[in-house]
Amino acid sequence: SGTVFALDIEPSILRASQVRAKSLRLTNIEYIVRDFVSDGSGLPDGVADYAMLFNILHTDEPVELLCEALRNVRPAGRIGVIHWNYDPETPRGPPMEIRPRPRDCERWAEAAGLNCGRVIDLPPYHYGYLLSPVTN
């Protein structure tokens, strides 16, 4: 239920998502071509129950991306992070010199004001976290 906001810098990715969603008769998705890294989401504060950052934290400012996702979720919201394993045998993904290790993601989450639980193994090529806002 609710609206799914699908953001991507690549229009072709969003078009492919639209085709797939249409085949599944999903009508609650808003597709937004946007450079999330440089421009943020453009969404209002607290608009989402869940935000997902998928294979994107290898940028220059990962804490800023996490802060933007935190701004977008409600106080009880969650943020999912998925990234490529730190393993040169993975068939794709960013170069190893910029690929984050799980501990990097943990430090960035803490710096953004997020609680970071245990790492989640997502075989064969990924790991992830389910983050929640720190409450005082």
Side-chain angles (χ1 to χ4, degrees):
S1 67
T3 301
V4 174
F5 299 100
L7 288 78
D8 203 288
I9 194 171
E10 295 293 335
S12 62
I13 299 295
L14 293 174
R15 281 193 299 276
S17 297
Q18 285 176 303
V19 168
R20 178 73 172 139
K22 186 175 181 179
S23 76
L24 296 170
R25 295 187 176 105
L26 299 175
T27 59
N28 63 330
I29 304 171
E30 184 176 328
Y31 302 91
I32 304 167
V33 177
R34 190 168 180 94
D35 185 343
F36 180 79
V37 173
S38 64
D39 302 328
S41 70
L43 298 172
D45 293 356
V47 71
D49 293 317
Y50 179 77
M52 181 171 207
L53 301 176
F54 187 81
N55 291 336
I56 195 171
L57 292 182
H58 57 277
T59 64
D60 289 336
E61 300 294 336
V63 175
E64 288 182 17
L65 296 183
L66 289 162
C67 286
E68 176 66 1
L70 177 59
R71 184 188 69 75
N72 291 151
V73 297
R74 293 179 177 96
R78 298 289 182 264
I79 299 169
V81 168
I82 293 178
H83 226 293
W84 293 98
N85 287 330
Y86 192 82
D87 177 357
E89 298 301 314
T90 54
R92 294 189 283 178
M96 293 304 296
E97 58 269 13
I98 64 169
R99 193 177 297 198
R101 291 178 165 100
R103 181 63 189 130
D104 296 324
C105 293
E106 292 169 13
R107 283 187 297 104
W108 299 332
E110 291 169 10
L114 293 159
N115 289 314
C116 189
R118 65 176 176 77
V119 65
I120 303 165
D121 187 30
L122 302 168
Y125 304 120
H126 293 88
Y127 66 91
Y129 287 95
L130 186 58
L131 310 174
S132 60
V134 171
T135 56
N136 295 333

